[in-house]
Amino acid sequence: MPKPNSYTFEAIGTHWSIETVEPLSKTVKHEIDMRIDAFDQTYSRFRSDSLVTKLRIPGNYEFPSDERELIEFYQVLYDVTEGTVTPLIGETLESAGYDASYSLTPKAAVELTPKWDDVMNWTGSRVNVKKSIVLDVGAAGKGYLVDIIAKILGSHNIDDYVIDASGDICVRGKNTQRIGLENPHDPSSVIGIALLQNASLCASASNRRRWGDWHHIIDPRTGKPVRDVIATWVVADSTMVADGLATALFFVPADVLKQWKFEAVRLFSDGHIEQTDNFVGELFI
């Protein structure tokens, strides 16, 4: 059931809505807006004044201490997936045409993604950049930001809500929400339903952020888009984890990610579908 009040806005290049029982106060909205701006100021590779943009010059840089959770998650995910989920994919994305000017024109030779230890070392929230890098936290960053907003709502004793950041969804409260799994071949239809109660759902699909023969999920080993998996859906307690694992499932099967508790569905280009045994919901194909 939709909540009676909705706060909608555009942020980090996408549409957001926060549905609540009672309207959000101006104070809460301002706090949310300011925190999103701080996140964008740190991580946007499309802003010339962001901290991430400064990493194009080797040196030592200090990130906000509360961002350490995201980097630690990436470090583990990088190791578990043997480097296929990496925040260093930014240079490859840029050379493929997904750059700050949205040129959408790939270079003749797309840059391959560097290895983590070759270009940067992290100590707490401080990073030593050895060579110019283009950091991109798109695989898990939006989910992490959803979790940050959820904490803000909780700090104001708001515990019944739905946050939807264009498909990264966080549900809290007593009621179960039925969320459709969008069909990547026909966005007006769904291939199934997930049931969410006090959980998060994130989806990733090759039909989103697509240009020419390219899309945003690129294999760093080849510099080419992933072709065999075309969509994934993950349910987890944390939106950051759900977001990151939705990307990871383009590269590895669910059992490789068993250190996390989650439910998942994968849709392949040949039409077959996989789901974890614990998936709570219904599939129509």
Side-chain angles (χ1 to χ4, degrees), residues 12 14-18 39 70 74 137-147 149-150 161-172 179-180 196 199-205 208-209 216 232-236 238-247:
I12 62 168
T14 196
H15 181 74
W16 293 66
S17 70
I18 303 174
F39 181 90
L70 178 61
Y74 259 109
V137 298
K142 187 169 63 164
Y144 180 61
L145 184 54
V146 169
D147 288 338
I149 293 174
Y161 55 82
V162 177
I163 303 171
D164 184 353
S166 293
D168 286 12
I169 300 170
C170 176
V171 173
R172 295 293 182 267
I179 308 295
L196 293 188
S200 295
L201 168 69
C202 291
S204 189
R208 298 293 184 178
R209 284 179 283 175
H216 69 290
T232 62
W233 298 265
V234 174
V235 176
S238 157
T239 321
M240 177 187 71
V241 169
D243 198 14
L245 298 192
T247 299

Side-chain angles (χ1 to χ4, degrees), residues 60-63 65 68 71-72 75 116 120-128:
N60 295 305
Y61 299 91
E62 187 74 34
F63 275 66
S65 59
R68 182 60 191 164
I71 297 303
E72 288 179 343
Q75 287 180 311
W116 188 297
M120 64 180 183
N121 288 324
W122 286 85
T123 304
S125 57
R126 190 170 181 81
V127 61
N128 171 247

Side-chain angles (χ1 to χ4, degrees), residues 2-284:
K3 309 297 180 187
N5 294 280
S6 181
Y7 175 43
T8 62
F9 53 93
E10 300 292 321
I12 62 168
T14 196
H15 181 74
W16 293 66
S17 70
I18 303 174
E19 295 182 358
T20 53
V21 176
E22 299 294 333
L24 296 180
S25 68
K26 290 183 179 180
T27 299
V28 174
K29 289 179 180 178
H30 179 70
E31 188 173 343
I32 289 171
D33 294 345
M34 293 297 291
R35 187 61 184 87
I36 290 175
D37 185 65
F39 181 90
D40 197 51
Q41 179 77 46
T42 299
Y43 286 113
S44 175
R45 64 178 175 87
F46 302 110
R47 290 176 58 157
S48 61
D49 62 344
S50 73
L51 178 54
V52 157
T53 297
K54 295 178 181 179
L55 305 186
R56 296 172 189 264
I57 299 175
N60 295 305
Y61 299 91
E62 187 74 34
F63 275 66
S65 59
D66 62 349
E67 310 290 352
R68 182 60 191 164
E69 181 182 359
L70 178 61
I71 297 303
E72 288 179 343
F73 176 59
Y74 259 109
Q75 287 180 311
V76 176
L77 202 55
Y78 180 88
D79 291 338
V80 169
T81 63
E82 298 183 346
T84 51
V85 179
T86 170
L88 295 166
I89 197 69
E91 188 172 4
T92 304
L93 286 167
E94 285 192 347
S95 63
Y98 191 31
D99 49 32
S101 62
Y102 293 95
S103 68
L104 306 182
T105 303
K107 294 181 180 178
V110 172
E111 296 288 342
L112 292 182
T113 306
K115 294 183 179 179
W116 188 297
D117 291 336
D118 289 347
V119 296
M120 64 180 183
N121 288 324
W122 286 85
T123 304
S125 57
R126 190 170 181 81
V127 61
N128 171 247
V129 178
K130 306 173 190 177
K131 300 178 183 179
S132 175
I133 62 174
V134 182
L135 207 69
D136 184 291
V137 298
K142 187 169 63 164
Y144 180 61
L145 184 54
V146 169
D147 288 338
I148 289 173
I149 293 174
K151 289 178 182 178
I152 291 174
L153 296 177
S155 71
H156 291 274
N157 298 315
I158 301 169
D159 55 10
D160 190 348
Y161 55 82
V162 177
I163 303 171
D164 184 353
S166 293
D168 286 12
I169 300 170
C170 176
V171 173
R172 295 293 182 267
K174 297 179 180 179
N175 296 326
T176 298
Q177 299 286 329
R178 293 168 56 86
I179 308 295
L181 309 182
E182 181 183 284
N183 184 343
H185 298 299
D186 177 11
S188 66
S189 66
V190 298
I191 68 161
I193 297 291
L195 304 179
L196 293 188
Q197 183 181 28
N198 290 317
S200 295
L201 168 69
C202 291
S204 189
S206 59
N207 66 316
R208 298 293 184 178
R209 284 179 283 175
R210 190 178 188 94
W211 63 102
D213 292 331
W214 291 83
H215 60 76
H216 69 290
I217 304 169
I218 296 177
D219 189 330
R221 299 166 296 189
T222 65
K224 300 292 184 182
V226 177
R227 301 295 185 192
D228 55 339
V229 179
I230 61 172
T232 62
W233 298 265
V234 174
V235 176
D237 292 338
S238 157
T239 321
M240 177 187 71
V241 169
D243 198 14
L245 298 192
T247 299
L249 287 170
F250 274 79
F251 302 101
V252 298
D255 59 2
V256 173
L257 307 169
K258 58 187 176 182
Q259 69 190 89
W260 291 283
K261 180 183 177 183
F262 67 99
E263 310 164 26
V265 174
R266 291 205 296 175
L267 179 63
F268 291 79
S269 57
D270 64 5
H272 87 273
I273 197 165
E274 289 181 355
Q275 67 183 92
T276 56
D277 292 339
N278 63 343
F279 175 69
V280 178
E282 180 181 1
L283 298 177
F284 307 145

